Amino acid sequence: MKLDVENIVHGGITGALFGIAYIFARSWWTNDYSDATALNLIGAALVGAVAGIAAFAVRWSTGADGK
C-alpha cells in the first residue's frame, strides 16, 4: 500500500464521516440532541479526518497490509 493523495483523501473522508456519526449516535443514545450543533459536528469531522489520515499513515509506515 502506498500513502498517496488518494489514500489520504479516503482516510480523511472516512474519518470525518465516523466523527459526525459518533456525535449523532451519542446524542441519540443519551436523548440529548443539544450536542448535535454545527460547531460540534465540524469539530468531530475535523478530529475524525485527522484520525483517519493518521490511521492510514500508521498502516503505511508499519506495512500492516502484508505487501
Side-chain angles (χ1 to χ4, degrees):
M1 179 178 146
K2 293 180 359 181
L3 186 63
D4 54 1
V5 175
E6 181 181 332
N7 288 328
I8 291 172
V9 170
H10 181 261
I13 291 172
T14 304
L17 292 176
F18 273 102
I20 292 170
Y22 170 76
I23 292 294
F24 281 127
R26 186 178 68 183
S27 297
W28 176 73
W29 184 261
T30 60
N31 286 331
D32 181 19
Y33 295 99
S34 64
D35 285 343
T37 62
L39 188 59
N40 283 344
L41 293 174
I42 291 170
L46 288 174
V47 170
V50 170
I53 293 169
F56 268 88
V58 168
R59 182 178 175 196
W60 172 78
S61 68
T62 60
D65 60 348
K67 294 181 183 175

